Amino acid sequence: MGLLQRDRTPPRRSAVHDRPPAGHPDARMRRGRVLLALALVLTAFNLRPAISGLGPVLAEVRDDLGMSATVAGLLTSVPALCFAVFGVTAPRLAGRFGAVRVVLAGLVAISVGLGVRAVAGDTAVFLATSTLALAGIAVGNVLMPVLVRRFFADRVGLLTGLYSMGMALGTAGAAALTIPVSRAFGGNWRYGLAAWAALAVLALLFWLLVPGRSRGGAERRAGEGPAEPGQRRLRLTRSPTAWALGVFFGLQATAAYVTMGWLPQIYRDAGVPASEAGMLLALVMGLGAPLSFLIPTLATRMRGQGPLVLAIGLCGFAGYLGLWLAPAGGAWAWAVLLGIANTAFTVALTMIGLRARTGAGVIRLSAFAQSVGYLLSVPGPLLVGALNEATGGWSAPLLLLGALLAAQVCCGVLAGRDRCVEDDG
């Protein structure tokens, strides 16, 4: 009898059969999220080549356009100034037009600015078009943490890591490839710079692959919704957390700009060959890619990010001390330590998404922290250069960088406390 009785237990379905079919709404939603993630990463890739791609061909640009040394020096401070000035406008623009549309408009500004800059015939046009591209980057800087928070609230660490890695790759890629691209076209610097305009166009085209429903939902979620509780009462200028995060952001940006602008010269003055000095800088910037992917996930799992800020700061102290005592002898070790120290940028971006409770709060905190931070970072590279010229060496500049790093760690520990700006009243 038992042998004849049928087993009425439902058959187990394989993992393959548990997945929804391709046309199922869940499958379409999953595909839309993947495309959104790729679009964000490709957008992030475009937020630094306008800056890092110029340095390798700056001498050729100056010769062709008759650019003075003063104007060329000004170009090193213009990015931070533009990020501060134009970044302030991002919350208002996002509230009126939607954060996604503003980021896409920023990509248009980047592509047009870099494209026209590549054919500029005089210094004035070159500066104006550079400013246009930097304005597009500024709104992207502010709104990218917002889009990550709103699109992927369940994966903030992962997506912050991905787009931070995209920024690091864009920075290193533009620095490494601008010269080879120029040489491929007969050594013409204009082609080397124009390539990065094409990359911005590619990012825009990729956004067209994102399903309209995903883009529309993203627009509604990423804007500065008018009815979010506490939005009107939020006063970031009265928030110690917001100020600590802004100063932390500014001091890490100062260190990054000094590293990009002066580290090769520090090595060369110590007797390191120019080619090796360039490779050492590439190592510093390239380390940001894998570390920027890992650190946000770690930071979001921590109740407070102070210990992470301290650990990264200690690497920076060790790197500066090595540059002071034996810049050539341990050159590669100091580059690794400074590469780790540069990931303070990724920690700052992650904390922006963690220190506010609402989408509107994240937009405003991102604009506040980045605007304050980039304004603070403007004089840093100029002051380091002035100290080097006045003293004839790098001891005084390195002491200054060590003092700034100490302040950075203190502000980062304060910003990393487990509290939101809404708690500051």
Side-chain angles (χ1 to χ4, degrees):
M1 182 77 175
L3 294 174
L4 297 175
Q5 186 176 5
R6 290 187 178 181
D7 183 5
R8 298 182 182 275
T9 304
R12 292 187 61 184
R13 295 168 59 109
S14 69
V16 174
H17 291 102
D18 285 338
R19 296 175 184 172
H24 192 276
D26 288 346
R28 291 198 299 270
M29 183 179 299
R30 185 180 295 111
R31 185 174 67 251
R33 279 171 61 88
V34 170
L35 290 174
L36 273 172
L38 293 174
L40 287 172
V41 172
L42 192 55
T43 300
F45 201 95
N46 283 276
L47 297 182
R48 289 298 179 269
I51 304 167
S52 61
L54 178 59
V57 294
L58 184 57
E60 290 79 4
V61 172
R62 288 184 58 189
D63 290 342
D64 275 8
L65 302 183
M67 187 181 295
S68 68
T70 301
V71 174
L74 181 64
L75 281 173
T76 64
S77 297
V78 163
L81 187 61
C82 286
F83 293 166
V85 171
F86 292 109
V88 174
T89 67
R92 185 180 298 273
L93 292 172
R96 182 170 182 179
F97 301 106
V100 176
R101 291 192 183 95
V102 175
V103 170
L104 294 182
L107 281 172
V108 172
I110 294 169
S111 59
V112 173
L114 295 186
V116 178
R117 182 175 78 168
V119 297
D122 57 62
T123 298
V125 174
F126 191 90
L127 288 174
T129 51
S130 294
T131 300
L132 176 62
L134 292 169
I137 294 171
V139 295
N141 285 339
V142 171
L143 295 179
M144 285 292 285
V146 179
L147 297 185
V148 167
R149 166 78 176 260
R150 301 311 300 164
F151 295 171
F152 302 96
D154 57 335
R155 295 288 187 273
V156 170
L158 174 62
L159 265 295
T160 301
L162 285 173
Y163 97 76
S164 298
M165 184 174 65
M167 290 180 68
L169 290 173
T171 303
L177 297 177
T178 297
I179 290 291
V181 172
S182 299
R183 288 175 177 169
F185 290 92
N188 192 328
W189 60 267
R190 298 181 185 274
Y191 289 100
L193 295 185
W196 308 114
L199 185 66
V201 173
L202 177 63
L204 280 168
L205 294 176
F206 196 90
W207 273 96
L208 298 179
L209 299 177
V210 179
R213 181 177 300 178
S214 298
R215 290 203 309 269
E219 287 284 8
R220 290 190 295 273
R221 294 192 304 273
E224 221 192 11
E228 292 189 71
Q231 178 179 348
R232 294 184 179 179
R233 295 192 299 273
L234 186 59
R235 297 289 186 269
L236 294 180
T237 54
R238 301 178 184 177
S239 167
T241 301
W243 278 109
L245 185 51
V247 177
F248 174 68
F249 195 101
L251 293 174
Q252 65 78 28
T254 298
Y257 284 128
V258 169
T259 297
M260 284 190 287
W262 292 111
L263 184 62
Q265 193 62 49
I266 293 175
Y267 279 130
R268 293 185 67 178
D269 288 350
V272 176
S275 59
E276 186 178 349
M279 292 296 295
L280 288 164
L281 179 60
L283 173 62
V284 172
M285 306 311 297
L287 275 175
L291 293 177
S292 294
F293 179 72
L294 297 173
I295 284 178
T297 302
L298 175 62
T300 54
R301 292 178 178 176
M302 301 174 71
R303 188 172 181 86
Q305 290 73 44
L308 183 59
V309 169
L310 179 59
I312 290 173
L314 289 175
C315 289
F317 282 122
Y320 291 148
L321 183 62
L323 287 176
W324 190 3
L325 298 177
W332 292 92
W334 317 143
V336 170
L337 289 167
L338 291 176
I340 297 172
N342 267 355
T343 60
F345 173 68
T346 306
V347 178
L349 290 179
T350 306
M351 287 198 291
I352 286 173
L354 297 175
R355 296 285 89 89
R357 291 195 177 92
T358 66
V362 173
I363 290 179
R364 295 184 60 189
L365 179 59
S366 182
F368 179 85
Q370 295 199 45
S371 295
V372 168
Y374 283 123
L375 275 177
L376 285 176
S377 71
V378 170
L382 300 176
L383 184 56
V384 166
L387 280 174
N388 171 249
E389 186 175 2
T391 62
W394 291 104
S395 295
L398 288 169
L399 281 173
L400 172 64
L401 290 173
L404 294 177
L405 182 56
Q408 173 186 317
V409 170
C410 292
C411 291
V413 170
L414 290 175
R417 294 176 301 170
D418 185 23
R419 63 185 290 119
C420 295
V421 290
E422 291 87 351
D423 299 330
D424 291 334

